[in-house]
Amino acid sequence: TADLEAGSAAPSYVPSALRSAKHPVVALFHFAFKAGALASYLIGRHFLPTANYVMTFIFTVIFLALDFWTVKNVTGRKLVGLRWWNDSREDGTSEWIFECIEDDSVIDATDRNAFWLGLYVWPLIWGLFLILNVISFNLDYVILIVVALVFAGSNLTGYWKCSKDAKQRLQQMQGQLAGRAIQAMAGSFGFGQ
């Protein structure tokens, strides 16, 4: 696995679209649990008898939880250098905490595109399923879809805020560096002494 992290050739089981990624296996898992949840929902919903509603619910939620955890704790950090969590204090209040990579230039374009594509498209898919179930007055699976939307929406919100925070930090850092550069130039010309 160290060779994979160093950017060597991706394993043959990685789809060709992800082979140029710096972290192809991580990018694969960014989509693997999503595919498992989607397959579990579609197969259980459309191809198995209604007696298997509970099993469909259980398997889909397990895949959704695995996807949520993987995206939140692994793929976000590895693919885009971002990480977030919510810290609950003893007094009952909570605080969102964001971490971002210092040097954004080390992020691979394929990694970044795969991450954000999966992050934005995932809630759209479940939103479409919600609309289709409501329009067809088939409300059996609405609870499951809402669970999926909560998981997907939480990751989307966390990373969106984290990305916004990262941009603000980058702008502050650039401003500080520019200020130091101006001070150094002014000092070299005898100003500010």
Side-chain angles (χ1 to χ4, degrees):
T1 60
D3 292 338
L4 293 177
E5 297 302 320
S8 65
S12 61
Y13 56 82
V14 173
S16 59
L18 299 176
R19 287 199 181 152
S20 66
K22 184 176 179 183
H23 302 98
V25 176
V26 175
L28 175 68
F29 274 95
H30 185 63
F31 294 102
F33 292 123
K34 287 173 177 53
L38 198 56
S40 176
Y41 170 75
L42 291 174
I43 290 169
R45 171 88 167 79
H46 296 290
F47 299 112
L48 296 178
T50 57
N52 288 319
Y53 172 78
V54 173
M55 292 305 292
T56 300
F57 192 95
I58 290 169
F59 280 111
T60 305
V61 169
I62 287 171
F63 278 116
L64 290 169
L66 289 169
D67 174 64
F68 174 80
W69 185 89
T70 302
V71 171
K72 183 180 171 305
N73 295 305
V74 179
T75 64
R77 187 171 50 84
K78 288 286 199 179
L79 299 180
V80 291
L82 301 173
R83 199 174 95 164
W84 66 271
W85 67 93
N86 191 302
D87 187 29
S88 298
R89 298 189 189 117
E90 290 183 22
D91 65 358
T93 61
S94 65
E95 175 187 15
W96 287 74
I97 300 172
F98 307 103
E99 287 182 356
C100 60
I101 195 166
E102 294 292 327
D103 183 12
D104 201 23
S105 67
V106 299
I107 303 297
D108 181 69
T110 304
D111 285 347
R112 182 182 57 246
N113 293 340
F115 178 81
W116 290 110
L117 176 72
L119 199 67
Y120 282 119
V121 169
W122 192 231
L124 294 176
I125 291 170
W126 289 104
L128 177 65
F129 288 150
L130 180 66
I131 291 167
L132 292 174
N133 276 273
V134 169
I135 288 174
S136 66
F137 297 107
N138 191 345
L139 305 179
D140 294 343
Y141 285 89
V142 168
I143 293 173
L144 176 60
I145 295 169
V146 168
V147 168
L149 284 168
V150 167
F151 277 132
S154 296
N155 263 335
L156 180 60
T157 302
Y159 280 111
W160 184 77
K161 287 183 175 185
C162 193
S163 175
K164 199 171 155 182
D165 184 58
K167 288 177 185 172
Q168 288 175 348
R169 285 187 199 170
L170 180 63
Q171 288 172 348
Q172 288 173 349
M173 211 167 52
Q174 287 173 340
Q176 290 171 351
L177 289 174
R180 288 180 191 158
I182 290 172
Q183 285 177 344
M185 285 178 21
S188 68
F189 290 115
F191 300 111
Q193 289 183 349

